[in-house]
Every structure is written in structure tokens, then in C-alpha cells.
């Protein structure tokens, strides 16, 4: 393994030491060959309305507003936001390996649509914020599954499967928080 691959593996598995993370390592980031279509699909996961960029910003916003009264929820939101940052980094690197600049955009009708803070659900209460977080995780799982079916590259499919495992874990954690605060 080259020095770059060693650093990449160590970096992408550093998340394993966070309390909200699964202890399962990520696969090595590889692609069979450059492919613009696959990159454009992954840009949706990277910076679309349902994306890692949206999740990071939504969960971090919720972390900040929960800090004063709900320390446990604030810690959960921050921890999951950091895991989503790992996903963002791995998606960005994979998009680059596919031959596309990983800008915070998607393609809509052959026109670049850049990520926007309006994609974040800011919310008004603990329960509506947690409900939005649960919905975000469900949407992410659904979108990753859709992209797995559209991408015929086993390396990318494996990476997305590992992300789905994280999203399912986050869904459980957010659901447990809802059970605690919203019943």
C-alpha cells in the first residue's frame, strides 16, 4: 500500500473512535474508471437537498440550539454531524476519482444548482427537529439505495453500503432520542 493509501485509510477510519460511530471500517476509496454519470449521481449525495452537506449543517444547527437545555441531544447531534463529515470527505474524494470537481452542486436540467442553506430544516422545537433528523436519515438511506442500483461499480456500491450502515445507526439513535423526549 502506498503512503497516500495508508493515510487515506487511517483518515477514513479515524471516526471509529467516536461514541456515535459504528466500529466497522470503511472500504478503501476506489473506482473502476472515471465516469461522469456516476460522479453526477454522487454529487446529489454530496450537496443536493438530501445530502451529507445538508445533514452536517442541519445536525450542527440542532447541536447549537440544544446546547443550553439538552446537553445529551446537543452531543448526539454534534457527534453524528462529524460522522456525516467523514461521508462528505469520502464522497468528495470518490467524485474526484471519477473525474469531476466535487463542487457543492448538483445538475438540474443540465444546469449547475449549488447547495443552499434553505435545504436545512431549522425547526422550532425539540420534537420537530428530531422528527426532521429521523426523516433526513430515512431519505439518505433511500437515496443511497437508489444510487447503488444505478451505479455499476463494486467499489462505489460497497462505499455506499457502508454509509447506509451509518445512516441506519443514526436513525436508531435519533429514534431513541425521540422516544425519550417526544412521547
Amino acid at each position: 500500500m502506498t503512503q497516500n493509501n495508508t493515510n487515506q485509510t487511517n483518515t477514513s477510519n479515524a471516526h471509529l473512535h467516536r461514541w456515535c460511530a459504528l466500529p466497522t471500517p470503511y472500504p478503501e476509496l476506489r473506482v473502476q474508471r472515471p465516469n461522469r454519470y456516476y460522479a453526477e449521481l454522487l454529487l446529489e449525495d454530496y450537496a443536493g437537498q438530501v445530502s451529507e452537506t445538508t445533514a452536517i449543517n442541519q445536525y450542527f444547527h440542532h447541536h447549537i440550539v440544544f446546547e443550553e437545555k439538552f446537553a445529551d441531544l446537543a452531543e448526539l447531534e454534534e457527534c453524528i454531524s462529524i460522522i456525516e463529515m467523514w461521508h462528505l470527505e469520502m464522497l468528495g474524494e470518490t467524485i474526484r476519482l471519477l473525474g469531476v470537481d466535487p463542487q457543492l452542486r448538483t445538475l438540474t436540467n443540465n444546469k449547475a444548482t449549488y447547495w443552499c442553506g434553505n435545504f436545512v430544516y431549522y425547526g422550532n422545537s425539540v420534537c420537530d427537529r428530531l422528527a426532521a433528523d429521523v426523516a433526513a436519515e430515512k431519505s439518505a438511506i433511500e437515496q443511497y439505495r437508489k444510487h447503488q442500483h444505478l451505479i455499476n461499480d463494486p467499489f462505489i456500491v460497497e462505499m455506499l453500503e457502508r454509509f447506509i450502515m451509518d445512516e441506519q445507526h443514526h436513525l436508531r439513535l435519533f429514534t431513541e432520542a425521540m422516544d425519550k423526549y417526544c412521547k
Side-chain angles (χ1 to χ4, degrees):
M1 189 180 284
T2 66
Q3 184 62 35
N4 275 350
N5 286 343
T6 302
N7 288 342
Q8 178 182 337
T9 301
N10 290 341
T11 299
S12 61
N13 289 316
H15 85 286
L16 299 174
H17 303 292
R18 302 205 55 85
W19 68 268
C20 67
L22 292 173
T24 307
Y26 290 108
E28 180 182 349
L29 299 181
R30 297 174 55 192
V31 301
Q32 288 181 318
R33 66 190 66 79
N35 185 312
R36 184 165 194 82
Y37 173 68
Y38 294 169
E40 295 295 340
L41 288 173
L42 294 180
L43 279 167
E44 291 180 29
D45 302 320
Y46 187 71
Q49 187 159 2
V50 174
S51 70
E52 297 298 342
T53 301
T54 301
I56 291 162
N57 285 283
Q58 179 169 308
Y59 302 161
F60 195 74
H61 174 265
H62 294 176
H63 155 74
I64 290 170
V65 297
F66 287 156
E67 262 184 326
E68 192 174 314
K69 294 184 181 177
F70 305 100
D72 60 331
L73 291 180
E75 185 179 352
L76 174 65
E77 297 278 358
E78 179 186 43
C79 191
I80 292 175
S81 177
I82 290 168
I83 302 304
E84 304 296 6
M85 288 179 208
W86 289 110
H87 295 175
L88 185 73
E89 180 179 6
M90 288 181 272
L91 282 166
E93 181 61 24
T94 302
I95 292 164
R96 190 188 62 73
L97 290 171
L98 288 166
V100 172
D101 180 6
Q103 296 178 9
L104 295 177
R105 62 145 184 98
T106 61
L107 214 66
T108 306
N109 299 323
N110 285 331
K111 192 171 188 178
T113 304
Y114 288 88
W115 186 85
C116 176
N118 290 337
F119 294 165
V120 171
Y121 182 81
Y122 296 98
N124 297 306
S125 70
V126 170
C127 294
D128 76 329
R129 288 180 178 115
L130 289 172
D133 296 340
V134 165
E137 293 299 324
K138 288 179 179 177
S139 294
I141 292 165
E142 182 180 323
Q143 183 166 288
Y144 281 137
R145 289 269 182 240
K146 175 183 160 194
H147 289 168
Q148 280 183 310
H149 294 298
L150 295 171
I151 294 173
N152 188 22
D153 181 319
F155 303 118
I156 299 171
V157 170
E158 180 183 20
M159 177 189 71
L160 296 179
E161 188 60 36
R162 179 60 186 83
F163 291 174
I164 290 168
M165 290 170 57
D166 281 338
E167 307 304 0
Q168 290 170 331
H169 182 60
H170 300 162
L171 178 58
R172 281 190 295 278
L173 294 172
F174 282 138
T175 300
E176 288 169 7
M178 279 197 71
D179 289 346
K180 177 178 178 180
Y181 285 94
C182 303
K183 291 278 177 178

